[in-house]
């Protein structure tokens, strides 16, 4: 008999002990890319990011605690001054009691840039972060308008820029995620269940099809209590578009 299933979020947290709410706006992203100009894995990797949030907390008699949360992200939009990337709300969510959130993005070549949070919604477990443009040109992914069908071959990229692949198994109601609160993730709609293996730190990363279109945003994984992987869960692209335009 198989062991009980466990559903977990896929971000990574590190806490360091030392002795010693963003203001959000809601752009409508009306000019999303209508055609995909990404045709290779290398070009897609140039649109993917590692997302970092560092927060602090003062503990009596101990000092200051520094907590760093890691996840994944992908650039979906640009304007004249900034790039905008999708990730999960639970990746950039600041728990009560922690202060001074600092956000950063790291690209596949290891270059780090300061970032800020633009938009969040726990009901989609999605967020948008942005960073300033410089001389380097990033690719921007195209978001599919229609959810992929069951059986579609898909791949995912995590915060270490590792690519894994599999197939869409089904759509199923989102399950309650262990170790979270509703303010982090409170998804109530059907999500993508795929055989695509996801590593810790995959939260917020792209799920893409053979044409390198974004078809989902990875946010969780399911495994047996023995640790054996069962499936990954992703927010479908139709819900991603609804979040960007309306939430």
């Amino acid at each position: 008999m198989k062991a009980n299933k466990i559903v977990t979020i896929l971000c990574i947290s590190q806490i360091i002990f030392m002795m010693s709410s963003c203001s959000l706006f809601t752009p409508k992203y009306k000019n999303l890319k209508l055609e995909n100009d990404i045709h290779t894995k290398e070009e897609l990797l140039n649109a993917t990011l590692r997302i970092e949030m560092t927060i602090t907390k003062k503990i009596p008699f101990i000092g200051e605690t520094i907590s760093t949360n890691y996840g994944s992200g992908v650039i979906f939009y640009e304007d004249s001054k900034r790039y905008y990337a999708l990730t999960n709300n639970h990746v950039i969510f600041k728990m009560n009691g922690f202060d001074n959130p600092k956000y950063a993005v790291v690209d596949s070549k290891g270059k780090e840039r300061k970032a800020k949070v633009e938009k969040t919604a726990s009901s989609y477990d999605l967020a948008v972060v942005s960073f300033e443009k410089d001389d380097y040109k990033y690719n921007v992914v195209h978001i599919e308008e229609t959810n992929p069908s069951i059986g579609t071959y898909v791949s995912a990229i995590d915060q270490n820029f590792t690519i894994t692949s599999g197939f869409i198994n089904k759509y199923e109601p989102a399950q309650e995620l262990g170790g979270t609160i509703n303010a982090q993730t409170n998804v109530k709609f059907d999500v993508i269940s795929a055989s695509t293996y996801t590593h810790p730190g995959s939260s917020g990363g792209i799920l893409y099809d053979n044409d390198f279109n974004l078809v989902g945003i990875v946010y969780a994984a399911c495994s047996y209590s023995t640790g054996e992987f069962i499936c990954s869960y992703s927010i479908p692209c139709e819900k991603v578009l609804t979040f960007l335009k309306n939430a």
Side-chain angles (χ1 to χ4, degrees), residues 7 10 144 146-155 166-175 187 189-196 198 205-209 213-222 229 231-240:
V7 181
L10 292 166
E144 273 288 0
T146 304
N147 289 341
S149 59
I150 294 171
T152 298
Y153 184 79
V154 290
S155 301
F167 295 90
I168 293 179
N169 299 321
K170 58 184 175 179
Y171 288 80
E172 63 176 274
Q175 300 187 38
V187 178
F189 48 78
D190 286 358
V191 297
I192 296 172
S193 171
S195 62
T196 309
T198 46
I206 185 174
L207 187 75
Y208 65 95
D209 61 16
N213 297 305
L214 186 155
V215 296
I217 293 293
V218 176
Y219 83 106
C222 185
F229 176 80
C231 65
S232 59
Y233 293 123
S234 298
I235 307 299
C237 54
E238 291 181 12
K239 293 296 185 181
V240 173

Side-chain angles (χ1 to χ4, degrees), residues 6 11-12 15 33 72 92 127 141-142 147 193 208:
I6 301 173
C11 58
I12 301 175
I15 297 178
K33 292 183 68 63
S72 304
I92 55 85
V141 300
H142 167 67
N147 289 341
S193 171
Y208 65 95

Side-chain angles (χ1 to χ4, degrees), residues 44-60:
L44 183 57
L45 284 169
N46 189 48
T48 59
L49 301 165
R50 171 187 173 106
I51 310 293
E52 299 181 356
M53 177 185 69
T54 302
I55 46 181
T56 60
K57 182 178 184 179
K58 293 182 179 180
I59 301 178

